[in-house]
Amino acid sequence: MRAVQTPYVLIDLDIIEAKYNDLANALPSTELCYAVKANPGGPVIERLAAVGSSFDVASVPEIELVLSYGVDPGRVSFGNTMKKQRDIAYAASRGITRFTIDSENELDKVLAEVPNAEICVRLFHECVGADWPLSKKFGCGAGDATRLLVAAGRRGATTGMSFHVGSQQRNLESWDEPLRVVAEVFEEVARHTRRPEFVNLGGGFPGSYLDAMPPISEYGRAINRAITAAFEGNVPRLMAEPGRYLVADAGTLHTEVVLVSERDIDSRRWVYVDCGVFGGLAETLGESIRYRLATDKDHDSMVDIVLAGPTCDSADIIYEKAGYRLPATLGAGDIVRIASTGAYTTSYSAVGFNGFAPLQQVYCGSQLLKSNPRSGAVSMGR
Ligand SMILES: Cc1ncc(COP(=O)(O)O)c(C=O)c1O
């Protein structure tokens, strides 16, 4: 085993498998398509493929990654609503037929390359209640969705709809309204062409951060109720695109204290660590995602702190308003463990700002494929 330098995220692959099973139980009869953007680590893909996951990809490298693990292209959905024509052609050449769109031009681009495509039209959603919203940039209204689905259906495509209620969604009722709209759109489309066949419930399922969230079984109950209310006896094929829920709690970021300082400008205690906003903690921008922190000195008295990263950019402040406290005895060289950092950390890390290396990831868990050179896995034991 080689020594690993901080900062790094330790990923427990067994937790990912357990989360997959929990979500599959909460959403029975739903095809789970892991959103690769949340954590594209090779062993993560490998473990999820082994437990039967499908995949949501956003780019050619993500396509290459999942296919390199032997995933059937029929289980891969190209979910980005803005794709280069040549990337659509590449996806088609690799056997991918599932594409998401939210505009007429994108529909034309896809059907030009893949006449037998499965077209998913993404519905706009406000994402109220989400700690990390995914709204304005994506999705169309019910009117456009109806027109696009009718056009795609008339051109022979299999069709369906998706929406995303926003990442880290706190409100269990958030799926109600988009499901009702999707059901109405399906009825309207069915008056003109073949009824759409599937609904993609998106992501939004939570990681375990500072504020406690309901268990996944409650999300499942609320969503299943909303599906029954919206579609009554005519429930379409179901999919979901979980990212955060599957991988967040599997990761613990280890970061080293570089400096603790108090200056006369604000008399606050600043703790600078070797991983910041540019090194993988991008979701702390605006203090949106509030991770749980732990150190080996947590039995000592705790003091108010500002937590900041190591780079020469004043945006690299992790938490200054959220009221974080760390041990008064914490000093340079100590390790801060940041919990539930398996999602949107390594994939958001800058490649070399200020010369700092991108955030690395190491793995533990049973069944590590020790000989796989693609994985970059380092066994940390258990
Ligand atoms: C299209 C799409 N699907 C799924 C996801 C995953 O969402 P979450 O991490 O909230 O599960 C995202 C997140 O950005 C997304 O953009």
Side-chain angles (χ1 to χ4, degrees), residues 22-45:
D22 288 348
L23 187 57
N25 286 333
L27 296 174
S29 315
T30 302
E31 179 187 5
L32 300 183
C33 302
Y34 170 57
V36 173
K37 67 202 82 175
N39 189 321
V44 174
I45 305 301

Side-chain angles (χ1 to χ4, degrees), residues 35 37 56 79 122 134 164 166-168 203-205 241-244 344:
K37 67 202 82 175
D56 165 61
R122 181 163 172 175
L134 299 162
H164 197 301
S167 204
Q168 190 70 9
F205 311 103
E241 288 172 354
R244 186 183 304 279
Y344 305 111

Side-chain angles (χ1 to χ4, degrees), residues 164-374:
H164 197 301
V165 296
S167 204
Q168 190 70 9
Q169 175 56 255
R170 291 164 180 264
N171 181 0
L172 302 186
E173 270 90 58
S174 291
W175 282 260
D176 295 9
E177 192 257 349
L179 279 167
R180 192 179 46 72
V181 174
V182 166
E184 285 170 8
V185 170
F186 279 19
E187 290 314 306
E188 183 57 29
V189 172
R191 292 194 185 97
H192 304 278
T193 184
R194 263 192 355 229
R195 186 176 189 266
E197 290 179 14
F198 63 91
V199 180
N200 183 331
L201 305 165
F205 311 103
S208 304
Y209 306 122
L210 217 48
D211 294 341
M213 303 290 272
I216 200 64
S217 54
E218 284 188 28
Y219 281 79
R221 266 193 291 280
I223 292 169
N224 291 324
R225 246 194 327 266
I227 291 168
T228 307
F231 293 99
E232 295 167 355
N234 203 4
V235 176
R237 174 158 59 89
L238 298 171
M239 303 158 59
E241 288 172 354
R244 186 183 304 279
Y245 178 76
L246 295 182
V247 291
D249 292 356
T252 305
L253 198 158
H254 293 65
T255 182
E256 181 182 325
V257 177
V258 179
L259 172 72
V260 177
S261 83
E262 285 177 29
R263 291 164 295 145
D264 56 4
I265 54 151
D266 59 6
S267 305
R268 298 190 75 182
R269 190 176 185 87
W270 286 68
V271 177
Y272 300 91
V273 287
D274 65 0
C275 181
V277 171
F278 300 96
L281 297 175
E283 290 199 320
T284 63
L285 280 170
E287 310 199 15
S288 300
I289 296 294
R290 298 181 181 188
Y291 297 108
R292 289 172 289 122
L293 309 183
T295 77
D296 287 344
K297 295 179 171 172
D298 287 352
H299 49 271
D300 294 342
S301 65
M302 306 291 269
V303 290
D304 292 344
I305 55 105
V306 176
L307 191 65
T311 65
C312 302
D313 192 308
S314 58
D316 194 7
I317 297 173
I318 304 167
Y319 298 120
E320 62 176 327
K321 301 190 185 86
Y324 275 85
R325 292 162 73 78
L326 282 172
T329 50
L330 200 72
D334 287 332
I335 300 295
V336 178
R337 294 183 299 279
I338 310 184
S340 296
T341 37
Y344 305 111
T345 52
T346 49
S347 52
Y348 274 173
S349 168
V351 295
F353 179 39
N354 275 173
F356 292 111
L359 183 59
Q360 60 172 327
Q361 187 154 273
V362 295
Y363 303 92
C364 66
S366 56
Q367 302 164 33
L368 274 180
L369 294 192
K370 300 180 185 70
S371 62
N372 187 345
R374 284 174 312 209

